[in-house]
Amino acid sequence: MAADTSVEILQKVLENEILQTTKVVEEHLDAELQKLDQMDEDELECLKQRRLEALKKAQQQKQEWLSKGHGEYREIPSERDFFQEVKESKNVVCHFYRDTTFRCQIMDRHLTVLAKKHVETKFLKLNAEKSPFLCERLRIKVIPTLALVKDGKTQDYVVGFTDLGNTDDFTTETLEWRLGCADIINYSGNLMDPPFQSQKKFGTSFTKLDKKTIRGKKYDSDSDDD
């Protein structure tokens, strides 16, 4: 009997919260509609023009990104190309990979998806064995490693799968969240709520670093991971 009473009380509380939330949303919509009703034709036309200009500007920006190689995950042939690519774009994710490392193929699949979704960022891959100078400069020892470059400076690194739950079965959403933490993509989710199946199990330790220039700077990392 007591259990039934508790359930009824809980149901009433939930119903009340839903009603209150609905009321707030309705009041907000009513206020917005009232603003529109009070606008004259000139104000409405001005609002329309501003929105059209914003859409036009966004489309122009997207076309500019696409012309610079954004929107696709692609391989660059040399270290020289790397410096040119990061010079052209504000946000760059570069995957240092090796053909014989299986985990690089896992990373490839996720980056292919994210490159299409986040056109604001350039997604590249570079064979670590063909870029010894760059790997030496960046002290890249663990494969795969993602170098996250903003305004020509290495802002952060994703080294191996440690930040991705320490599992080969991490989701694309997990990698997306990690890149969002570095502000290298426009992340729309909640950074305080990582999409791990179990946050306690996986942990959230990062290899977060201070901003460093690409040339001549170093960072420490673990030994090579096959």
Side-chain angles (χ1 to χ4, degrees), residues 113-226:
V113 174
L114 293 177
K116 296 177 181 178
K117 182 176 181 180
H118 292 280
V119 184
E120 73 278 5
T121 300
K122 180 182 290 183
F123 287 81
L124 307 171
K125 63 185 298 187
L126 179 60
N127 191 324
E129 295 178 336
K130 295 181 180 180
S131 52
F133 170 80
L134 192 55
C135 288
E136 174 69 20
R137 289 291 184 178
L138 297 180
R139 295 294 299 276
I140 292 176
K141 296 181 180 180
V142 175
I143 299 297
T145 285
L146 302 184
L148 312 184
V149 186
K150 182 180 285 290
D151 295 322
K153 298 180 180 180
T154 52
Q155 173 175 290
D156 201 353
Y157 300 88
V158 179
V159 182
F161 291 174
T162 303
D163 294 351
L164 306 173
N166 240 352
T167 174
D168 291 351
D169 298 325
F170 69 88
T171 64
T172 301
E173 289 75 21
T174 297
L175 178 57
E176 183 180 29
W177 167 81
R178 178 63 182 89
L179 297 179
C181 289
D183 194 31
I184 206 71
I185 61 172
N186 295 336
Y187 186 70
S188 59
N190 182 3
L191 292 175
M192 300 302 294
D193 184 22
F196 295 153
Q197 293 179 354
S198 172
Q199 186 171 345
K200 291 183 179 180
K201 177 181 177 182
F202 292 146
T204 56
S205 59
F206 290 167
T207 53
K208 183 72 175 180
L209 302 169
D210 295 331
K211 292 183 179 180
K212 303 174 182 178
T213 57
I214 291 174
R215 297 179 184 275
K217 299 297 183 181
K218 301 179 179 180
Y219 75 96
D220 294 328
S221 61
D222 298 328
S223 58
D224 198 6
D225 184 4
D226 293 331

Side-chain angles (χ1 to χ4, degrees), residues 43-172:
E43 289 175 324
L44 287 172
E45 182 63 26
C46 183
L47 178 62
K48 179 181 177 181
Q49 289 300 320
R50 285 203 301 268
R51 290 181 175 177
L52 288 174
E53 286 296 323
L55 290 173
K56 182 179 179 180
K57 185 177 180 180
Q59 185 61 28
Q60 290 175 341
Q61 177 65 82
K62 182 178 180 179
Q63 291 303 316
E64 180 181 347
W65 283 330
L66 293 176
S67 69
K68 293 179 179 179
H70 293 227
E72 60 176 338
Y73 176 50
R74 57 193 173 85
E75 182 166 4
I76 53 177
S78 69
E79 297 169 320
R80 180 177 297 180
D81 292 284
F82 173 85
F83 288 105
Q84 182 61 36
E85 294 281 0
V86 300
K87 182 180 179 181
E88 290 178 352
S89 300
K90 179 180 179 65
N91 297 310
V92 178
V93 174
C94 186
H95 173 202
F96 286 86
Y97 80 98
R98 189 173 56 198
D99 287 326
T100 56
T101 302
F102 172 71
R103 284 183 169 179
C104 292
Q105 300 174 30
I106 297 175
M107 187 67 78
D108 283 340
R109 293 198 296 269
H110 295 296
L111 292 175
T112 298
V113 174
L114 293 177
K116 296 177 181 178
K117 182 176 181 180
H118 292 280
V119 184
E120 73 278 5
T121 300
K122 180 182 290 183
F123 287 81
L124 307 171
K125 63 185 298 187
L126 179 60
N127 191 324
E129 295 178 336
K130 295 181 180 180
S131 52
F133 170 80
L134 192 55
C135 288
E136 174 69 20
R137 289 291 184 178
L138 297 180
R139 295 294 299 276
I140 292 176
K141 296 181 180 180
V142 175
I143 299 297
T145 285
L146 302 184
L148 312 184
V149 186
K150 182 180 285 290
D151 295 322
K153 298 180 180 180
T154 52
Q155 173 175 290
D156 201 353
Y157 300 88
V158 179
V159 182
F161 291 174
T162 303
D163 294 351
L164 306 173
N166 240 352
T167 174
D168 291 351
D169 298 325
F170 69 88
T171 64
T172 301

